[in-house]
Amino acid sequence: MKLIPVVLFTLAAMAQPPTKSPAKASHVLLTPGAMQWMPAPAATGMPSVVQVSILSGDPFKTGPFVLRLKIPAGGKIAAHWHPTDEHVTVLQGTFAAGMGDKLLETDLHDFPVGSYLLLPKTMHHFAMAKGGEVIVQVHAQGPFVLNYVDPADDPRKK
């Protein structure tokens, strides 16, 4: 008789509808040839010469995202800042970056392939592609917002 309560509890538990398991994130498996490159959307504030490939997430919504930026040789991104931390990994070329309120080539530091940069939120910084086309991978928390230190540098206002 001592087993009856256990058996009844087990049967009662089995009769209950299953609880929903937490939603699982979908996987992303991309080879370089499968990545879709497009001109950076005007909403990003990136210069028109920059191309973007969104690898995961949605940079325009709240939440994590990963994207790649392709910057042509000599391409520049004027001094700006973001409201969230920006993590940058250099995948191709020499990415040059500096900190401050104005893009000054004398203040650029070269970051070769394999380099990693953590640019804390609100830090004023600028960048340039040196010696050829540059590809960097950016991961951050969205929404991705680019605020130019000097509003006159903002391509959205031109």
Side-chain angles (χ1 to χ4, degrees):
M1 291 290 171
K2 290 184 180 182
L3 294 179
I4 291 176
V6 173
V7 171
L8 290 175
F9 175 76
T10 302
L11 290 174
M14 290 174 60
Q16 298 298 316
T19 58
K20 288 188 174 183
S21 60
K24 293 184 180 180
S26 53
H27 63 279
V28 177
L29 304 170
L30 292 171
T31 59
M35 294 175 192
Q36 301 286 321
W37 289 97
M38 63 183 156
T44 65
M46 288 284 173
S48 61
V49 296
V50 174
Q51 292 187 31
V52 65
S53 179
I54 299 170
L55 306 183
S56 66
D58 184 339
F60 303 108
K61 293 182 179 174
T62 299
F65 70 87
V66 179
L67 57 79
R68 290 189 178 174
L69 299 175
K70 188 184 291 186
I71 308 165
K76 298 177 182 179
I77 302 173
H80 63 280
W81 58 275
H82 309 279
T84 60
D85 292 350
E86 180 181 33
H87 301 262
V88 179
T89 303
V90 182
L91 303 177
Q92 175 183 307
T94 300
F95 182 70
M99 308 310 147
D101 293 341
K102 185 170 179 60
L103 192 156
L104 298 171
E105 291 191 35
T106 55
D107 290 344
L108 290 169
H109 181 77
D110 292 350
F111 295 93
V113 171
S115 297
Y116 167 78
L117 298 81
L118 167 58
L119 304 165
K121 65 181 179 178
T122 71
M123 174 179 275
H124 294 187
H125 58 281
F126 45 86
M128 178 179 175
K130 286 179 101 178
E133 182 178 77
V134 167
I135 297 177
V136 295
Q137 183 162 299
V138 176
H139 69 273
Q141 290 290 320
F144 182 72
V145 177
L146 193 112
N147 299 297
Y148 284 92
V149 175
D150 181 348
D153 292 330
D154 190 337
R156 295 168 287 202
K157 304 202 189 245
K158 294 180 181 177

